[in-house]
Amino acid sequence: MGRLVPAVTRALDILELFLDGDGVLSAPDIVRRLQLPRTTVHELVTTLAARKYIVPVTGQPGRYRLGVRPYQLGARYAEYLDLAAEGQQVARTVAETCDETVHVAILEDTDVIYIAKVDSTHAVRMVSAAGRRLPAHCTSVGKMLLASLPERELAARLPDDAGLAAMTPNSITDPAALREALAEIRARGVAVESRESNPDVSCVAAPVRDRTGQVVAALSISVPMIRWSDDRLAELEQLAAKGADDLSERLGHRRVS
């Protein structure tokens, strides 16, 4: 990595300040928060305003908000985003950490479609493939995605009289029981599947969000029962959540702390 240019770093620090609060700042605000000299801040603010990265706020003299240029850059970045490609990269990182199979999946009607997958290096591992389709209610990724739907959309996809096929004896086949499970998933923020799609495998999944905050995918970690334990579950939940957050960040999502 080469040497950082101080002036560029400071300009970027100023722009990133606008991500917090109400997105409106004055030069004194910037001086106070970044502990920079007033002359330096004045020069940088003047330059950023001249290039349309920030613009004066109408009716609030001396105060600025982000201009159109950051939006244009963000829109161009979004044009080149590829959920599958980004998901594959994040899945690889997660898999290297836990050495288990990692999937990224999307929801289509009442099924999930796996769009990215990285295998465990263990001899005993889950057998699956990108492009495979499974009933959403039988998988951790699917339940995570169903739990993220608005109630009206969920009811349309899975009415109370919906027939839920079983993949294993542990699969949920009762719509009322599924709704109860989805409510718990919403409360916890992660989904767990215990041998519901494969009698020898359990999974944990977390939601992936786009720049608008909408859940667009889910990331899961699949573990054969010979390596599954209650003690390990908490670790896997945290790792799945971190991986999903990392992928969400790549898609432009910014968490509000």
Side-chain angles (χ1 to χ4, degrees):
M1 184 175 179
R3 178 175 173 272
L4 299 180
V5 179
V8 176
T9 299
R10 290 168 179 168
L12 294 173
D13 286 342
I14 290 174
L15 289 175
E16 290 173 1
L17 287 180
F18 287 90
L19 296 174
D20 298 323
D22 63 359
V24 175
L25 293 168
S26 66
D29 292 333
I30 296 170
V31 169
R32 184 180 69 256
R33 293 178 61 178
L34 295 182
Q35 296 294 299
L36 292 174
R38 284 179 293 178
T39 301
T40 299
V41 169
H42 174 74
E43 292 173 348
L44 290 170
V45 166
T46 299
T47 302
L48 291 170
R51 297 294 298 270
K52 307 298 184 185
Y53 282 87
I54 60 176
V55 294
V57 177
T58 303
Q60 299 184 40
R63 297 179 68 78
Y64 297 86
R65 60 175 175 79
L66 288 176
V68 69
R69 293 299 286 169
Y71 173 79
Q72 291 172 327
L73 289 172
R76 175 51 61 92
Y77 171 74
E79 289 177 9
Y80 291 97
L81 278 180
D82 183 328
L83 176 57
E86 298 293 334
Q88 188 72 17
Q89 291 186 42
V90 172
R92 182 174 297 108
T93 299
V94 175
E96 288 172 352
T97 302
C98 63
D99 199 11
E100 300 293 354
T101 300
V102 180
H103 293 96
V104 176
I106 59 174
L107 186 66
E108 184 175 282
D109 195 15
T110 57
D111 291 340
V112 289
I113 299 174
Y114 294 101
I115 61 172
K117 179 206 175 186
V118 176
D119 277 318
S120 163
T121 64
H122 290 290
V124 178
R125 59 180 183 265
M126 182 178 182
V127 177
S128 63
R132 188 183 185 191
R133 178 189 293 262
L134 290 177
H137 68 279
C138 293
T139 69
S140 61
V141 282
K143 290 192 291 184
M144 187 73 256
L145 291 165
L146 290 173
S148 302
L149 292 175
E151 182 57 37
R152 180 176 296 181
E153 187 173 349
L154 176 62
R157 295 193 192 208
L158 292 170
D160 292 339
D161 60 352
L164 301 178
M167 293 186 69
T168 76
N170 284 358
S171 300
I172 298 175
T173 57
D174 176 26
L178 177 61
R179 287 183 176 276
E180 186 176 329
L182 297 181
E184 182 179 347
I185 289 168
R186 289 188 204 100
R188 295 186 63 206
V190 292
V192 177
E193 172 223 321
S194 180
R195 298 176 294 166
E196 295 169 48
S197 62
N198 183 318
D200 300 315
V201 174
S202 287
C203 307
V204 58
V208 175
R209 301 177 185 274
D210 66 9
R211 62 184 180 83
T212 70
Q214 180 178 351
V215 175
V216 293
L219 180 145
S220 71
I221 303 173
S222 302
V223 183
M225 293 308 299
I226 60 172
R227 293 195 297 275
W228 181 270
S229 68
D230 291 341
D231 290 341
R232 198 180 182 198
L233 175 57
E235 172 194 344
L236 294 170
E237 286 179 337
Q238 292 180 0
L239 186 55
K242 183 182 184 306
D245 286 346
D246 290 346
L247 181 51
S248 298
E249 186 176 353
R250 285 172 175 251
L251 300 180
H253 178 62
R254 180 173 175 269
R255 286 191 298 169
V256 178
S257 56

